[in-house]
Amino acid sequence: MGNVAVIGSQWGDEGKGKIVDWLSSRADVVVRFQGGHNAGHTLVIDGVEYKLSLLPSGIVRGGKLSIIGNGVVVDPWHLLKEIDGIRAKGIEVNPANLMLAENATLILPVHQAADRALEAAREDAKAGSKIGTTGRGIGPAYEDKVARRAIRVCDLQHPEMLKEKIERLMLHHNALLKGLGADTIDPDKVYDDLMQISGSILQYAGVVWKRLEEARVKGERVLFEGAQGIMLDVDHGTYPYVTSSNTVSASAASGSGVGPRSVNYVLGITKAYTTRVGTGPFPTEQQNDVGEYMGQRGKEFGTVTGRKRRCGWFDAVLVRQAVKVGGIDGIALTKLDVLDGLDELKVCVGYELNGERIQHYPASQLHQAAVKPIYETLAGWKESTRGARSWADLPAAAVKYVRRIEELIEAPVTLLSTSPEREDTILMQDPFLAA
Ligand code: GDP
Ligand code: IMO
Ligand code: MG
């Protein structure tokens, strides 16, 4: 029995939070390894809704350790707010069940200012060209990390050095903000604000790679929790309409400090149709009654920004590609119940590009926008699948739909989710036993 990584296989919001919460009953440690509070994960447990952005979704189960790995960009003020929010719902959070990697990068208010100013500049340059980011400073924070000027959690221990680092960082950013016509930010204020919360943050700081090595030696089970989805991966997604981290399963290792062999099973979370928030190509998008039907039934509004999610048919070409580049072993298919009542269902099985049929999603921005989906039509079902807890409860047409998806994406459906509730989940194969 080994460790499992959970990743999104589309454009995010596939239902990762629900599945991680469900699987975490089998895990000892749950680790976030990339992204930041751009993620929005909704969990429903006995009718109570929990919304998480930065905290690992395992936090709502007692008796296990939640870790925020080095690959995550952490807004420290947001982290403290989220901890307060979840405590108010009766969940215990303390240094015994939450650890923050000492080498994680911090998101500062300047990153949010830069995020907003850069989006406005893109839109000014050409209407409709903004990425539609969550505005949470994710991109600018990752830029600083790669440029080797970021402030990290461990820097909070050294006030003198921190002050110097902030001054250097703000020299860079204030020049940029000025150039973009935005207000500059006083480095002294950034320093003072950070010093006010440094103690509250440092109490969670720890050496994550060492704790994970301990887990390996003790035979503890680790669940790696991805955010976003493969089509938002900075290399493999719909660049430049992506997020600024690698969302593929390989990041689980680098984003937490373990070797690649520590991830023994990759579970891809996949919605039974497709959604996307923000700008960018979406070949199977349905800007019509079908898209509205999916959006209404699936309550497709963003957790983080409240934006309406764009909806469309299942794209098997795109998910097959995600299965390959993400090394996905099995799929958790979610929100099948949303499709109840449709007369027929379409699934994209190939694209047409410049009069030719292709079987993969090309990298070129122009080609990604130009591909036309080729559909296969399957029968819908009238019965309700909502809340189904066994394969036998599903109508024959729904079973056929799932089986056809498995064939097309070349991966087995090992879990099926039929409502937002934790327990409305059908298990075909336990990922931890397969790991
Ligand atoms: P994540 O970002 O991948 O964790 O997904 P989100 O939480 O942003 O979005 C998924 C939404 O669908 C949440 O509101 C979940 O409560 C809900 N959800 C998850 N699984 C199911 C399901 O099988 N059926 C229905 N109807 N809703 C689901
Ligand atoms: P979860 O974990 C859906 C999208 C944004 C935007 C693009 C870049 O809930 O699945 P960013 O703020 O990251 O620079 O925005 O990525 N995006 C998401 N879309 N689900 C998410 O996370 C997302 N996180 C970022 O809408 O298009
Ligand atoms: Mg989400």
Side-chain angles (χ1 to χ4, degrees):
M1 230 179 302
N3 301 326
V4 173
V6 164
I7 57 171
S9 71
Q10 292 154 319
W11 278 290
D13 303 325
E14 297 93 347
K16 297 177 291 294
K18 164 176 168 168
I19 302 295
V20 169
D21 164 60
W22 190 82
L23 274 179
S24 65
S25 69
R26 294 161 160 76
D28 303 298
V29 183
V30 181
V31 191
R32 271 284 304 269
F33 55 86
Q34 48 71 232
H37 64 315
N38 50 347
H41 303 158
T42 302
L43 285 54
V44 186
I45 300 153
D46 295 333
V48 182
E49 206 173 64
Y50 300 86
K51 288 186 186 291
L52 300 173
S53 281
L54 197 48
L55 289 169
S57 300
I59 198 88
V60 291
R61 299 249 189 193
K64 58 192 81 272
L65 176 65
S66 288
I67 293 182
I68 299 176
N70 59 277
V72 177
V73 281
V74 180
D75 177 326
W77 293 277
H78 180 89
L79 178 62
L80 295 177
K81 209 167 89 190
E82 199 169 313
I83 291 173
D84 283 348
I86 196 108
R87 273 190 188 138
K89 293 204 161 182
I91 306 290
E92 185 92 20
V93 185
N94 57 51
N97 72 351
L98 177 67
M99 187 190 256
L100 171 62
E102 57 172 5
N103 51 344
T105 295
L106 294 183
I107 298 182
L108 304 175
V110 67
H111 296 124
Q112 276 131 28
D115 199 345
R116 280 193 301 272
L118 287 165
E119 281 282 74
R122 284 183 199 109
E123 200 59 19
D124 281 351
K126 191 174 172 213
S129 70
K130 72 174 176 193
I131 292 166
T133 70
T134 58
R136 298 206 150 175
I138 306 294
Y142 275 118
E143 280 180 43
D144 276 356
K145 169 177 169 170
V146 177
R148 297 167 292 196
R149 56 173 173 258
I151 310 293
R152 308 200 300 173
V153 171
C154 51
D155 295 330
L156 299 177
Q157 300 170 88
H158 311 294
E160 281 300 307
M161 190 184 75
L162 178 67
K163 200 166 186 9
E164 276 173 35
K165 280 196 170 191
I166 290 174
E167 273 160 15
R168 277 205 301 276
L169 180 74
M170 296 312 296
L171 214 59
H172 168 86
H173 277 292
N174 277 337
L176 194 67
L177 287 174
K178 221 183 219 164
L180 290 168
D183 293 338
T184 57
I185 295 175
D186 177 8
D188 290 341
K189 177 160 170 35
V190 177
Y191 174 77
D192 292 343
D193 290 350
L194 260 183
M195 285 314 290
Q196 265 187 18
I197 57 158
S198 67
S200 312
I201 293 296
L202 283 172
Q203 65 174 320
Y204 298 106
V207 188
V208 165
W209 68 266
K210 259 181 112 181
R211 180 61 185 85
L212 290 176
E213 170 61 11
E214 230 177 274
R216 189 185 68 76
V217 172
K218 285 202 264 186
E220 289 178 327
R221 292 195 221 181
V222 183
L223 179 59
F224 296 96
E225 176 183 4
Q228 290 85 48
I230 288 187
M231 286 301 136
L232 288 170
D233 181 283
V234 68
D235 286 292
H236 296 287
T238 46
Y239 192 90
Y241 301 100
V242 291
T243 191
S244 296
S245 65
N246 283 111
T247 59
V248 289
S249 55
S251 285
S254 61
S256 61
V258 297
R261 280 193 300 275
S262 293
V263 180
N264 310 100
Y265 186 96
V266 182
L267 183 68
I269 315 301
T270 306
K271 217 176 258 193
Y273 48 102
T274 316
T275 62
R276 166 161 215 174
V277 222
T279 339
F282 181 174
T284 61
E285 183 172 13
Q286 298 297 301
Q287 288 174 306
N288 53 29
D289 290 351
V290 170
E292 282 297 319
Y293 187 83
M294 292 170 172
Q296 287 299 323
R297 289 182 54 90
K299 300 201 169 63
E300 297 294 357
F301 291 90
T303 316
V304 173
T305 56
R307 287 177 291 178
K308 196 170 168 178
R309 295 174 184 153
R310 299 153 65 192
C311 298
W313 295 118
F314 188 84
D315 189 335
V317 181
L318 202 132
V319 175
R320 183 173 57 232
Q321 194 155 320
V323 165
K324 306 302 173 191
V325 301
I328 290 172
D329 295 299
I331 289 284
L333 194 68
T334 63
K335 305 191 92 160
L336 186 70
D337 56 294
V338 172
L339 301 177
D340 294 351
L342 285 168
D343 290 330
E344 55 180 35
L345 302 168
K346 288 186 198 287
V347 173
C348 172
V349 294
Y351 301 122
E352 196 192 297
L353 178 65
N354 302 327
E356 278 183 39
R357 184 172 175 143
I358 55 169
Q359 294 298 341
H360 75 285
Y361 200 33
S364 143
Q365 191 178 336
L366 291 182
H367 289 164
Q368 286 189 346
V371 297
K372 298 266 173 295
I374 299 166
Y375 288 114
E376 185 176 297
T377 303
L378 285 97
W381 54 91
K382 294 287 170 220
E383 302 89 330
S384 169
T385 63
R386 194 172 166 98
R389 291 188 184 183
S390 102
W391 196 244
D393 292 342
L394 300 177
V399 174
K400 233 173 163 174
Y401 182 70
V402 177
R403 292 296 181 221
R404 185 63 185 136
I405 284 178
E406 285 182 313
E407 270 171 18
L408 289 167
I409 66 173
E410 298 174 12
V413 170
T414 55
L415 274 169
L416 200 64
S417 167
T418 55
S419 102
E421 274 284 350
R422 182 190 266 177
E423 298 306 328
D424 292 336
T425 307
I426 305 173
L427 177 69
M428 268 71 90
Q429 182 192 35
D430 186 331
F432 276 108
L433 290 179

